[in-house]
Amino acid sequence: SARRAMAAWARAVRGLLLDISGVLYDSGGDGGVPIAGSVEAVRRIKASGLKLQFCTNETQETREKFVKKLQGMGFDISVAEVTAPAPAACRILKEHGLRPHLLVHDDLVPEFAEIDKANPNCVVIGDAAENFTYANLNEAFRILIEMEKPVLISLGRGRYYKETDGLKLDVGAYMKALEYACDVQAEVVGKPAKTFFESALAELGVPAQQAIMIGDDIVNDVGGAQRCGMRALQVRTGKYRPSDENHPHVKPDAYVNNLAEAVDILLQQL
């Protein structure tokens, strides 16, 4: 009966947006590990005829490398099915004639190959991990503080994420440091930005009312998707913590133990 009551959120769904890290797998220095049942869950979604798009703030490597790693774990996923911040940022840079100073992970740099980076007039910050040194942050700070109108573009605003060896500080913490030092407000490309979810929905080809976002981040996945008119579920995997269930502002449409359980419930409704 709990199942039946819970399943109100599962009605009239035509497409799913899935977060990757913390939903499909936990990342880590060893490449990471798939979360139990999620490889099969993705296969079942595709077999069911529901539309599927992956929506990630992953910025530690190119989509190509990232997708290859997931395929190696057994996931049925292609680059075209992944909405990610770096390509979205490149579109903005080109449209506005911006030349970025990049404070990003070394492995992400190829995503910006087509972009003019000489004589920078903005800073792009991503999840740089070990590249978040004092020297690198200070260099980005100096470029911004010299500008009459500083432009800071952030590939997400997450506070932390979970790797196989524990929680890791995410780009949002460093974005806030630069915002504070330079008295500037970053433009966030990636979740929870409305434009980012809208482009993921456009790629999914389903209106917000008929789509569900599934993620482990209560603010960026669940809150962001709900603000776009989607239903959103929080999985109790990845960086989920029990305190998320008392969040003052964001209430998921449902909690599920993992992606596999969400898919079980959804497919019963079809």
Side-chain angles (χ1 to χ4, degrees), residues 160 218 234 236 239-247 255:
Y160 56 85
I218 182 106
Q234 190 178 13
R236 294 189 178 101
K239 67 165 159 192
Y240 161 85
R241 304 170 90 185
S243 60
D244 292 348
E245 306 211 15
N246 307 316
H247 195 279
Y255 290 95

Side-chain angles (χ1 to χ4, degrees), residues 16-85:
L16 296 180
L17 289 183
L18 296 189
D19 175 37
I20 296 180
S21 181
V23 174
L24 300 189
Y25 85 121
D26 284 320
S27 58
D30 48 3
V33 293
I35 291 167
S38 50
V39 169
E40 182 57 25
V42 169
R43 204 175 295 134
R44 291 176 66 203
I45 293 164
K46 292 196 167 181
S48 74
L50 286 171
K51 291 189 166 185
L52 179 59
Q53 184 74 12
F54 302 91
C55 187
T56 181
N57 272 9
E58 170 64 46
T59 58
Q60 279 200 14
E61 52 198 344
T62 62
R63 282 186 303 169
E64 282 71 18
K65 268 184 78 171
F66 181 47
V67 163
K68 231 181 216 97
K69 178 172 77 182
L70 289 163
Q71 288 169 342
M73 292 180 189
F75 287 102
D76 179 1
I77 183 172
S78 67
V79 171
E81 293 172 311
V82 177
T83 305

